[in-house]
Amino acid sequence: MAPEAADAEQEDDHEDKATVKARNGSMRAPQEDHHSETTEEEEEEDEEPRLKYASLTKHLGPLYRNADATSAFMVAGDKMIVGTHNGNIHVLSLPSLKSIRVYHAHSASVTALSISPFPPPLPTLRAETKIRLISRQQSSPAPSISGANQGSPAARSPKAPPVPLTASNFIHIATSSIDGNVCVASLTDPKDVMLRNFGRPVQAVALSPDYKNDRSFLSGGQAGNLILTVGGRSGTTSTSNAGAGAAATASGWLGAIGLGSNTGKDTILHSGEGAIRTIRWSLSGKYVVWVNEKGIKFMRTNLHLDPDNSEHAWKRINHIDYPDRVLWEEMAAVWKPRAKWIDESGLEADDPHTTQINGVQDKAPAENSAPPGTPLPKSVTNHKQSEKLIVGWGDTIWVINVLPGGSATGKESGARKIARVEMVTILRTDCIVSGVSLYTPSLLVVLAYVTPEENLSAPQTTPTRGRHRRQNAQQPEMRIIDLSTKEEVSVADKLNVSRYESLSATDYHLDVLPAMQITQKVAAQKGALEIIGGGIWDVGMYPARLFSSTASVQSNGSHSAESSSRTASDLSVALPIPNSNTKSTTAVHPSALTHGMKIFIHSPYDCVLATKPTPTDHFNWLASHAMYEEAWNLLDQHPEAAGDSSEASTDSTPSTPTRTSARGQGTLLEFFADDGSQTASSDQRNLYSHVEKEKRRIGEQWLEQLTKNGEWSKAGAICGKVLTTGSSWEHWVWVFAQADKFEEITPYIPNTQIQPPLPSIVYELVLGHYVATDRKKLQELLDRWPPDLFDVGPVIEAIQGRLKAGDVREASIEDGEVGRDWRLLMECLAKLYLADNRPAKALHCYIRLQDADIAMKLISEFHLVDAVSDDIANFISLRISKEQQRSAPMSELEAASREPIQLLVAEAHYGIVRPEAVVEQLNERYGSPNPYLYFYFRALWEGQTASMAASEQRIVEDTHEARKQSLMDERLVATEGKALVSDHADTALSLFAEYDRPLLMDFLKTSQSYTLDLASKICKRRNYIPELVYLLSKEGRMSEALRLIIDEIGDVRQAISFAKEQGDQSLWDDLLNYSMSKPPFIRGLLEEVGTSIDPVRLIRRIPKGLEIQGLKGSLIRMIREYEIQHSISEGAARVFRGEVAAAMAEKSRGLNKGIKFEIGEVHKDPITIRSPQGAQPRKIQQGDCPGCEKAFLPEDPELLISFPCQHIFHLPCLLSLPDLDAKGRDDIPSSLKDLDWQSEYDRNIGPKVDHATLLRGLVDKGCPLENQDAG
């Protein structure tokens, strides 16, 4: 502890005396009247706590022995590590708080702790190891914490048990102290320890995340130097060699002559800005942050650094100065900075409960908000691989993101940086920050040291200097601050800790274990974390189960004007640690398996655990405050909030836990020791039953609350949510009926069968009410309620009684509409008949209603067409009035008769209603021709049936295969329809000629059943020239058809097209002959004929002296077209010649250029060479000589011959090839030797020419291997 620091913290705080304090989202001045404070205190009584607390002090007895006290602490993985003022280091397991190791590391107060790796891996045990551990703990008493480590220090006791060699225990722990030493020790190996003296008090230390391999750490302290220490031998004590000339001193005289042992190397990375109080290595290991008296500094480490960026190792990235305020100039060196890198995947979710506090609605969670411990989306947690840092220093909190990359500014503007610092937000508080961390993505949890209150009314313009009388400190507070609003989201919780009056801000510490979600699979595996101990998490999650109400961690106390905060009382009861003598009267709730974030708070004499209230706590608080709506919604969204039936016994347990047998369910260890999947299944069923009972209980209370307040409409809506059984529905329907509130509850009565079922009399009661009062509502209910929910007989009788009584008549008027209620009752009666399986009676009702749509549907579904087969004319005109038959246009008649005609067409395909009957009855009724018979034949011809129409509507939603099948069915139906029409081809011909000329042409081209003479007469009579041309061509009278085109239509293009289609040269002669007397035709032929006719022949046949208007333009156009064709041909030829020339040039360049090859290069992919004698092909590595299959060497004396195909030979190997055809090849080596070209090569040109001449004959025919392959 530092009394002088506490005194200094009281200095110069007068400038903040008038600071307005933020409390629960509202700003309140210190001079606020007593009435406002009293009102706020009353509101606080109804405010739901954000955190719940449990004291762990009683279970850390060995830590406080010999008047020792906590000076530094941290939690990580499954361990809590505590450093004390006596220099002892305590390593405890979590959650059991069992001591793993205690050792004496320093002679003075420990100032900082660090472990590597961070965070350490969680323990995992194999199944058989787990079983042995459970058996051992159940068969023999577990060592008690109070009996462990009797010696002081325990590490020196030879009886200390060895640390288990598990993965989570293979860590190194670094500690620093004001004695000037840094101690780095292995948890599992007592011999692996290194002590390094720096000569000045060391305030901060940070181990490299890869310390096991690089043996490096950072340290800093009063000297103001940030020192990187690398190396050092285990089991030794060494002195820092960071100073000038210190290297020889560090290793003695042996070190001076180079024979000393490895004492490590110290490098000063930064200095000259005051004492360093905090150093933190980032979670990824890429960055380091440290805080000195000038501000916050950032540096890039040498870890995870690409070789290209090696120059950025141990380079500063950025810095942030402390606030420019007078108080900071004096207190920056006194206040201890708190820095923490945030693992965003371990944060709690934002507002998992939608609660209403003091009438203000909290922020609702996202629709798919992840449960605690679930990794956040990549866009949140890994935006450009950023790392988040929270720094609390003095009265200010910084939220910072460190991101890779970026550009430098200032003098180095434009240069690339390895990382950049992004300031997210800065918060100024009215307290001194003793600990800070991120609780949720948007909430900060702050351990606040509140400076003693002074008389704020006394004016003081300048800070008072000099030594002040130390005032009693106030209780520390836990605050939760919203990052977006920078305000506290709830009233601060005051923590009851021992001797807080004498403590300063530096004496408090806060650290967190990230949230962790345990899935069912992980819970079934029963990992070692839960096996080691489970009781402590029950303290954090369910303290009421383990502690009495008088020892509650949350005590409201008296609400005086001086305090508006809740107080966490000190607990004085024993925490049950699992052993053979431990016995509990309650079973562990299954939700204890889901571990949220744990917040540990340490003072020199106390340890407090803070956790988020569970859904069960939230539910109980809502129910106790008559907030039934919120309580029910919570159970609906989080069924686990109801707990299970075994938790009900918690309320009746004694205030102090009692001891039970080892088989009790008091801890997670004993819970996991139970076997059998049937028991687990039973627990789940009981949980479900308990949840449903709780939902029904809360729902009933909610409904009673609403009905008493006269909120019948809301109560009716709530009935649809909370009522799940038939008996409860029956009760509440009668309640609403007795109050004549049918309108309020009817919309929410279940429209599906529930279990147990709702009695049918409930539905009949409501329907009977609306038969007499509201027929429109009756129709809506019958549309919504399936008929199997009630007995249709009584309802039919009620409707028939109303119709027979004459209360409702066809001529009666309701709301200005004639027969409205009569029509409604008839429609309801028809629906009920259908539900009672009497479609004939229903059809009768719809006929009376003249409802053609439903009548057609009934006829189609129940195959009632045979009932109207004798009166097809009336059936077709079901939707057509007599006025429409007289004056309606064809489109209106077609739309009105489409559905019955499609139905008749479908029945014609099935053979039920034959076309002969339709033709006979329609001709008899309307004469011939008539539009209805035309509609019928057209539908037959095109395959328009009701099923095909429905298929067309579904074709977009169907799969590709379904669509393909539908189209095939449609073609088949159309083919069958055409066959049916062919039996009445002449009748169809007359109808199509009368009503549908485009369909006539299709019919003429498709059908072969009509009479050609009749068709020709009809077309001539109606002057249908195109149809007549087709008929003439079909009869083989081509010349007449051509003459008809020229004389009647006068379209030269059609005439030319007709001649081209027929492919008859005589037609061209006829066309030329017919056109010679028609100048427009001649001009058209010149323009349109193209290459079909020789233009010279056409021009020569033009009569002399014939005046042709536009002849010149036609000739020019024809010539231009031929020129274009000629130009295109020439262009294509030029392009072809150019491409050939380019290819030849490329080949020539390839043959003439030099070939580059690497000597001694070995290629992975071999090449295959065929043996000249036709033997088995050989495979050699690329870059080897194909002749001798040896690699080329730089000192190879032989001449190398390379070909464009990249085959390379030794000259003797090339000459030895049997396929080589070269004259005088045996004389070539001797000739080359005579030239002595190697010694004279660089002086005379003669040997070069002779050399090239000798080799030309050797390589003239190319590579022998390529020639061999070509052969």
Side-chain angles (χ1 to χ4, degrees), residues 76 114-121 167-168 170-172 207-212:
S114 178
I115 69 170
S116 177
F118 182 86
S168 63
F170 286 109
I171 61 174
H172 285 82
L207 278 182
S208 166
D210 195 25
Y211 178 82
K212 179 181 178 182

Side-chain angles (χ1 to χ4, degrees), residues 93-108:
S93 67
L94 293 177
S96 66
L97 291 180
K98 178 181 177 181
S99 178
I100 298 177
R101 184 182 174 191
V102 180
Y103 61 94
H104 188 72
H106 300 279
S107 59

Side-chain angles (χ1 to χ4, degrees), residues 467-592:
R467 187 172 183 84
H468 289 254
R469 178 180 59 83
R470 182 184 181 91
Q471 300 182 13
N472 288 338
Q474 297 186 11
Q475 293 172 271
E477 296 180 355
M478 285 293 291
R479 300 181 180 180
I480 299 179
I481 301 175
D482 192 321
L483 285 174
S484 58
T485 62
K486 299 185 179 181
E487 295 181 351
E488 296 181 36
V489 297
S490 64
V491 177
D493 298 330
K494 286 192 173 182
L495 304 176
N496 269 355
V497 296
S498 302
R499 300 177 242 179
Y500 65 86
E501 298 89 350
S502 62
L503 300 180
S504 66
T506 58
D507 293 323
Y508 295 101
H509 310 275
L510 179 145
D511 203 357
V512 299
L513 280 181
M516 175 178 61
Q517 183 183 15
I518 299 181
T519 62
Q520 293 296 330
K521 180 178 180 181
V522 176
Q525 292 175 350
K526 309 172 187 177
L529 180 60
E530 291 80 9
I531 293 174
I532 294 174
I536 191 60
W537 285 163
D538 290 340
V539 176
M541 307 296 280
Y542 304 101
R545 183 186 302 161
L546 301 174
F547 302 103
S548 65
S549 59
T550 59
S552 173
V553 297
Q554 200 69 49
S555 175
N556 290 330
S558 61
H559 296 278
S560 63
E562 298 178 356
S563 173
S564 64
S565 302
R566 296 188 295 267
T567 303
S569 64
D570 190 14
L571 304 180
S572 59
V573 296
L575 178 70
I577 301 299
N579 54 53
S580 59
N581 298 323
T582 302
K583 185 176 182 181
S584 175
T585 59
T586 60
V588 174
H589 193 286
S591 63

Side-chain angles (χ1 to χ4, degrees), residues 939-986:
L940 271 177
W941 181 262
E942 296 179 352
Q944 296 179 3
T945 64
S947 59
M948 289 298 104
S951 175
E952 290 176 0
Q953 294 178 359
R954 295 193 307 267
I955 193 168
V956 178
E957 303 175 0
D958 290 343
T959 61
H960 175 71
E961 294 296 329
R963 266 183 255 168
K964 185 177 179 180
Q965 184 63 35
S966 178
L967 293 174
M968 292 176 62
D969 295 342
E970 187 176 351
R971 294 192 190 99
L972 181 60
V973 171
T975 303
E976 294 178 356
K978 288 179 173 61
L980 292 173
V981 173
S982 297
D983 296 339
H984 307 275
D986 292 341

Side-chain angles (χ1 to χ4, degrees), residues 20 70 93 120 142 146 203 223 250 259 309 313 325 337 392 398 401 404 411 461 468 527 602 660 899 949 1007 1018:
V20 178
T70 301
S93 67
S146 59
Q203 300 290 342
L259 300 177
N309 298 321
R325 296 197 292 271
W398 291 264
N401 283 340
K411 297 181 179 180
T461 57
H468 289 254
H602 263 272
T660 60
E899 189 173 358
S1007 178
I1018 293 175

